[in-house]
Amino acid sequence: QILQSSKTFENFQQGVKDQGFEIIKGRGISFVGNKGVKIKGSDIGLSLQIIEKQIEKNNQVVKTQQRQNSIGR
């Protein structure tokens, strides 16, 4: 849900933080819960590459919608 609506990595990071998780970003990505449990993103199907691709896809959808809106005017 958060990933689907994020337009930047920072948006995603803030959304995750709002849910009570911390993000550790290095070569990959990890999530740390409020009890200190660390989970690698790739272990839960959210590798850094997948996240970056989804954010890029979200931005393409926005650009397409903006183009359609400007044509419809």
Side-chain angles (χ1 to χ4, degrees), residues 38-70:
K38 182 177 176 181
I39 302 170
K40 287 184 2 181
S42 59
D43 288 346
I44 58 171
L46 285 175
S47 68
L48 183 57
Q49 184 178 16
I50 288 172
I51 292 167
E52 290 172 342
K53 282 184 179 182
Q54 183 61 50
I55 290 171
E56 184 178 320
K57 187 177 177 181
N58 295 349
N59 287 320
Q60 289 298 323
V61 169
V62 169
K63 288 177 186 177
T64 301
Q65 289 172 344
Q66 287 173 343
R67 245 183 277 142
Q68 289 174 346
N69 290 342
S70 65

